[in-house]
Amino acid sequence: MARVALVTGGTRGIGAAISTALKNAGYTVAANYGGNDQAANQFKSDTGIPVYKFDVSDAAACEAGIRSIEQDLGPIDILVNNAGITRDGMFHKMSFDQWSAVIRTNLDSMFTCTRPLIEGMRERNFGRIIIISSINGQKGQMGQANYSAAKAGVIGFAKALALENANKGVTVNVIAPGYIATEMVRAVPEEVLKAKILPLIPVGRLGEAEEIARGVVFLAGDEAGFITGSTLSMNGGQYMA
Ligand code: CAA
């Protein structure tokens, strides 16, 4: 039986590429999404991957959503904590709403999506938890005090969880993408992107979502069991952690 994978934020951007790549690698995939029904339905009809709507910042909604995926598809062996948002702004102008929206979606979701799954993974002696962080959690980024805090936080979370579960066949790893050609990066003001970001990428271009997805498929494999607590930087050479 194919292993079951859940990808949060799995219907758009990097998440959509991850869902598709896992499906192509033979996994049974469930793609979570938070709000954009139109994009999710389009994704579902394009790929045949079932979609599940719940808010990753809401613990009760995640518990219920995850149980319904397990009822439909079976126990989840692979969790890709990918869902994330930006609410950019210089910190001296940032509201608490901008701060907390990002912390809830990008960091609280580590608890809300992982906690309902970890006991089952431990009991079955197998699990793969892959967390999508960011270059901006590694190096900081002006305009992103909230996002950088959350994306650095997930790296600490992964290391602690990796230690707690290493003897149970459960690995926990992080991928830290650089600037990838998705809607999130296209929302950066064009003059900032052209003048301040692109010239800093030695490879000379934005990354592709499919390039990040390849890393996820690699870490999800049964053969990747000796890799845990690591952070894989995939950023075109922009930051060498
Ligand atoms: N890198 C370097 N400099 C930047 C920058 C960046 N990413 N963003 C802004 N700046 C600079 C501006 O060019 C400007 O410099 P000058 O005064 O020399 O012209 C200065 O910071 C202030 O910027 P603004 O005048 O634009 O100030 P603002 O208050 O109107 O807006 C901002 C500030 C909200 C941060 C806006 O510039 C912005 O959205 N910048 C992009 C921030 C960013 O890089 N976000 C990453 C999104 S992609 C992502 O998050 C995915 C991922 O994981 C990589």
Side-chain angles (χ1 to χ4, degrees), residues 86 88-90 93 133-136 141-144 147 151 177-180 184-185 187-189 191-192 196-197 200:
T86 55
D88 291 356
M90 300 303 246
K93 301 181 198 167
S133 174
S134 165
I135 185 176
N136 294 343
Q141 172 58 52
M142 60 195 306
Q144 288 201 307
Y147 186 88
K151 293 297 189 181
Y179 284 75
I180 309 301
M184 188 183 273
V185 166
V188 172
E191 64 283 4
V192 172
K196 309 267 182 183
I197 295 173
L200 301 180

Side-chain angles (χ1 to χ4, degrees), residues 4-66:
V4 177
L6 165 60
V7 183
T8 68
T11 64
R12 293 196 295 138
I14 292 175
I18 293 171
S19 298
T20 306
L22 286 170
K23 183 184 180 200
N24 292 342
Y27 296 93
T28 299
V29 178
N32 151 264
Y33 72 103
N36 190 332
D37 294 315
Q38 200 193 347
N41 290 330
Q42 187 65 50
F43 174 81
K44 184 181 172 185
S45 74
D46 289 348
T47 63
I49 294 172
V51 299
Y52 292 85
K53 183 176 185 176
F54 54 89
D55 176 354
V56 296
S57 71
D58 177 338
C62 290
E63 173 81 36
I66 285 171

Side-chain angles (χ1 to χ4, degrees), residues 29-220:
V29 178
N32 151 264
Y33 72 103
N36 190 332
D37 294 315
Q38 200 193 347
N41 290 330
Q42 187 65 50
F43 174 81
K44 184 181 172 185
S45 74
D46 289 348
T47 63
I49 294 172
V51 299
Y52 292 85
K53 183 176 185 176
F54 54 89
D55 176 354
V56 296
S57 71
D58 177 338
C62 290
E63 173 81 36
I66 285 171
R67 294 300 161 237
S68 89
I69 295 168
E70 291 193 317
Q71 250 176 14
D72 293 349
L73 306 177
I76 296 167
D77 281 336
I78 294 139
L79 169 65
V80 185
N81 277 325
N82 163 76
I85 59 169
T86 55
R87 294 287 182 273
D88 291 356
M90 300 303 246
F91 185 71
H92 57 271
K93 301 181 198 167
M94 187 177 286
S95 68
F96 185 64
D97 281 352
Q98 279 174 291
W99 172 267
S100 66
V102 169
I103 298 298
R104 281 188 281 116
T105 298
N106 298 11
L107 187 57
D108 286 358
S109 60
M110 298 301 118
F111 183 90
T112 58
C113 297
T114 311
R115 183 67 184 84
L117 292 175
I118 192 71
E119 286 175 280
M121 289 179 176
R122 288 170 61 88
E123 277 158 23
R124 295 190 299 277
N125 272 296
F126 184 88
R128 296 281 181 267
I129 298 168
I130 300 152
I131 297 168
I132 307 302
S133 174
S134 165
I135 185 176
N136 294 343
Q138 296 172 300
K139 72 168 186 55
Q141 172 58 52
M142 60 195 306
Q144 288 201 307
N146 48 4
Y147 186 88
S148 298
K151 293 297 189 181
V154 304
I155 296 175
F157 169 72
K159 289 178 180 175
L161 201 65
L163 287 172
E164 290 184 11
N165 294 284
N167 65 348
K168 294 286 182 189
V170 180
T171 66
V172 188
N173 292 290
V174 175
I175 292 181
Y179 284 75
I180 309 301
T182 63
E183 274 173 50
M184 188 183 273
V185 166
R186 283 188 213 109
V188 172
E190 204 183 335
E191 64 283 4
V192 172
L193 195 60
K194 276 201 181 133
K196 309 267 182 183
I197 295 173
L198 279 171
L200 301 180
I201 305 176
V203 164
R205 61 172 174 84
L206 296 176
E208 296 297 331
E210 291 70 22
E211 294 176 295
I212 305 304
R214 279 174 66 83
V216 173
V217 172
F218 171 70
L219 291 170

